[in-house]
Amino acid sequence: MAGEVVLLDTWASMFGMRVRIALAEKGVKYEYKEENVKNKSPLLLQMNPIHKKVPVLIHNGKPICESAIIVQYIDEVWKDKSPLLPSDPYERAQARFWVDFIDKKVYETWRRMWLSKGEEHETAKKELLDIFKLLEGTLGDKPFYGGDSFGFLDVGLIPFSSWFYTFETYGHFKMEAECPKLMAWVKRCVQSKESVSKTLPDEKKVYEHIVALEKATTGA
Amino acid sequence: MDEVKLLGCWVSPFAHRVIWALKLKGVKYEYIQEDLSNKSELLLRSNPVYKKVPVLLHGDKAICESAVILEYIEEVWPHNPLFPKDAYERALSRFWISFAADKGNAFHSFIVSTEENREKSKTELVEVLKIVEDQALKDQEFFGGDNIGVVDIIFGNIPHWFEAMEESVGVKVVEPNTLPRLHAWVQRFKQNPVIKHNLPPYEDLVLFVKGFRQSLISKTPNASA
């Protein structure tokens, strides 16, 4: 499926990473444009006027916004290679349900943990761990969420692993101790999928970025 | 052919999204009314993550979250399509589904608004609805074009439910002079025979919303300031 593909993104965005992984899985060539969220480009504001957020995929000049929607679009347009959504409608529903769950819960809970202290912080930390434990339970004994192959929910969740070091450091816990099966799945994805290993940023760099962001926000 | 059941609640606009989709496609199903103050074993077992309605039960499978259920229904019963055929148009429909979910807060602020902050809340909501009117509905009869589509179903709480909220709060938001196309769509949507015969009784809905509003106001800090 020919046509110009442009991705507006920021390197540390776990939502942007989903799109990069999906494009890599499909072997799609695209132009990557790094956005500065403090100084959004006219192109971003034009292509996503409602939310003004990344990632935005621009295909033949037309924008698609929201990472879960973009990944589904990519799967439907470049359908001849590496299918991401399962073919069975119930399995598709399950994959969509869990990606929606991740989108509703993970980032918002992390933010609460990040920006709070004392009891509020502890509550958010417990909630964040409960979320990952629930996701770990959903994996069961399968190698991937997609079963034998890497699928939509794998793409949806794996980018958060590049933020685990950041979560661990702010929350004072270790994912390996709390969610060993999930960590085994992370390793499996990184080792067996080039799309993942080439996309995920260094987790220490992500942490440094968050620390710098916090200093800039709070002036601390 | 596996049995289809829907766990719903008479007042839930989310449950009605599923009712409309099933009815528009002529899918036979058994409706099970849930008492949300006393949730059934079946509901808790079928939706352990959120414990909410609607839940679609198809054979032994449970599908939760109305947006996910709508996609499932479309895929299992593809006749009388509710989603566009084109991948880009489909992505746009999904964008509006996500947008509607995102803007719940604006509606919530409106419902708990009191005399002091009513106008501000109304202005914010009109801004949101203007975006929906300009960019989603445009000059079409329905969000889905000539016929009702999934985005009409998603915004289907603006007719009836939001009207009940307007009556409870005491201020009209969707008016022919400020949101002409959306106002016209509201009337048109309610006239569709499937929709018309699958709405909760309006007076009962108003009573419910008034009570719901009072309970929210008593729980919301600064709401009565």
Side-chain angles (χ1 to χ4, degrees), chain B:
Chain B
M1 190 66 213
D2 276 337
E3 250 193 344
V4 182
K5 296 183 186 171
L6 172 62
L7 306 183
C9 168
W10 73 275
V11 82
S12 163
F14 303 101
H16 279 79
R17 290 172 172 181
V18 180
I19 292 171
W20 296 331
L22 291 169
K23 294 253 183 208
L24 285 164
K25 289 178 180 275
V27 177
K28 298 232 176 312
Y29 67 97
E30 181 193 340
Y31 179 76
I32 299 172
Q33 176 88 278
E34 280 287 330
D35 172 4
L36 297 182
S37 61
N38 185 19
K39 292 174 183 179
S40 72
E41 187 51 50
L42 179 61
L43 174 58
L44 298 175
R45 200 170 62 234
S46 308
N47 191 355
V49 175
Y50 298 115
K51 305 175 176 53
K52 284 182 178 180
V53 295
V55 179
L56 188 76
L57 300 168
H58 189 199
D60 57 357
K61 300 183 277 235
I63 302 103
C64 309
E65 291 299 287
S66 63
V68 176
I69 297 172
L70 291 173
E71 298 251 16
Y72 178 82
I73 289 173
E74 182 76 357
E75 288 170 8
V76 175
W77 295 281
H79 59 276
N80 298 358
L82 297 170
F83 281 79
K85 289 231 168 340
D86 174 71
Y88 185 72
E89 295 298 319
R90 244 193 332 276
L92 282 182
S93 292
R94 288 177 178 140
F95 175 85
W96 291 112
I97 295 171
S98 168
F99 179 88
D102 232 10
K103 297 302 173 185
N105 276 342
F107 284 89
H108 181 91
S109 297
F110 177 72
I111 199 180
V112 300
S113 70
T114 52
E115 286 217 30
E116 279 203 16
N117 49 23
R118 183 162 305 159
E119 277 312 306
K120 177 167 179 272
S121 176
K122 174 180 170 173
T123 305
E124 281 172 11
L125 208 42
V126 170
E127 266 174 39
V128 169
L129 293 171
K130 237 227 151 311
I131 292 173
V132 171
E133 186 186 61
D134 287 341
Q135 299 187 40
L137 183 59
K138 297 183 266 200
D139 289 317
Q140 302 173 115
E141 290 268 296
F142 295 101
F143 289 90
D146 294 329
N147 297 303
I148 285 180
V150 70
V151 181
D152 296 88
I153 291 178
I154 288 300
F155 287 125
N157 64 310
I158 297 175
H160 215 66
W161 282 267
F162 189 63
E163 287 173 300
M165 279 191 218
E166 286 171 322
E167 199 172 310
S168 304
V169 174
V171 66
K172 291 275 313 156
V173 176
V174 180
E175 292 172 292
N177 54 322
T178 49
L179 293 159
R181 286 170 292 172
L182 194 65
H183 186 265
W185 170 81
V186 164
Q187 315 315 317
R188 202 175 296 132
F189 185 75
K190 282 195 293 186
Q191 282 315 306
N192 175 284
V194 167
I195 307 300
K196 193 168 169 177
H197 294 113
N198 289 285
L199 287 171
Y202 186 68
E203 293 309 325
D204 294 347
L205 183 60
V206 171
L207 265 171
F208 177 87
V209 171
K210 283 185 169 156
F212 183 63
R213 178 165 179 262
Q214 282 314 311
S215 72
L216 280 181
I217 285 175
S218 61
K219 283 185 207 150
T220 306
N222 308 319
S224 49

Side-chain angles (χ1 to χ4, degrees), chain A residues 22-88:
Chain A
L23 289 167
E25 280 292 303
K26 302 284 185 175
V28 176
K29 298 229 175 317
Y30 64 98
E31 185 189 347
Y32 178 89
K33 290 192 177 185
E34 178 75 20
E35 284 286 332
N36 176 358
V37 294
K38 291 198 182 62
N39 187 18
K40 293 174 182 179
S41 73
L43 182 62
L44 174 58
L45 298 176
Q46 183 202 346
M47 290 289 152
N48 191 358
I50 291 174
H51 300 303
K52 306 176 177 50
K53 284 183 179 175
V54 294
V56 179
L57 190 78
I58 310 171
H59 185 206
N60 293 328
K62 294 192 290 197
I64 303 102
C65 308
E66 303 292 298
S67 64
I69 296 173
I70 299 172
V71 173
Q72 287 182 83
Y73 175 81
I74 289 169
D75 198 40
E76 289 170 16
V77 170
W78 289 277
K79 56 180 180 286
D80 296 327
K81 189 172 181 221
S82 305
L84 296 172
L85 269 130
S87 47
D88 173 70

Side-chain angles (χ1 to χ4, degrees), chain A residues 16-153:
Chain A
M17 286 173 221
R18 288 171 167 177
V19 180
R20 284 177 255 155
I21 291 169
L23 289 167
E25 280 292 303
K26 302 284 185 175
V28 176
K29 298 229 175 317
Y30 64 98
E31 185 189 347
Y32 178 89
K33 290 192 177 185
E34 178 75 20
E35 284 286 332
N36 176 358
V37 294
K38 291 198 182 62
N39 187 18
K40 293 174 182 179
S41 73
L43 182 62
L44 174 58
L45 298 176
Q46 183 202 346
M47 290 289 152
N48 191 358
I50 291 174
H51 300 303
K52 306 176 177 50
K53 284 183 179 175
V54 294
V56 179
L57 190 78
I58 310 171
H59 185 206
N60 293 328
K62 294 192 290 197
I64 303 102
C65 308
E66 303 292 298
S67 64
I69 296 173
I70 299 172
V71 173
Q72 287 182 83
Y73 175 81
I74 289 169
D75 198 40
E76 289 170 16
V77 170
W78 289 277
K79 56 180 180 286
D80 296 327
K81 189 172 181 221
S82 305
L84 296 172
L85 269 130
S87 47
D88 173 70
Y90 177 66
E91 296 302 322
R92 290 161 77 89
Q94 288 301 95
R96 286 182 175 127
F97 174 87
W98 286 110
V99 169
D100 175 67
F101 173 82
I102 291 166
D103 286 352
K104 278 184 169 67
K105 300 279 189 186
V106 178
Y107 193 77
E108 182 269 330
T109 308
W110 144 248
R111 261 191 80 89
R112 269 190 291 125
M113 186 183 80
W114 176 33
L115 298 172
S116 65
K117 290 183 171 62
E119 204 181 310
E120 216 190 306
H121 172 90
E122 287 304 310
T123 304
K125 167 184 164 176
K126 179 167 189 306
E127 280 177 32
L128 190 62
L129 286 171
D130 283 345
I131 287 166
F132 286 119
K133 284 173 182 165
L134 185 58
L135 288 163
E136 183 183 55
T138 305
L139 180 64
D141 292 319
K142 303 193 296 288
F144 298 106
Y145 283 95
D148 288 327
S149 53
F150 187 75
F152 184 60
L153 179 48

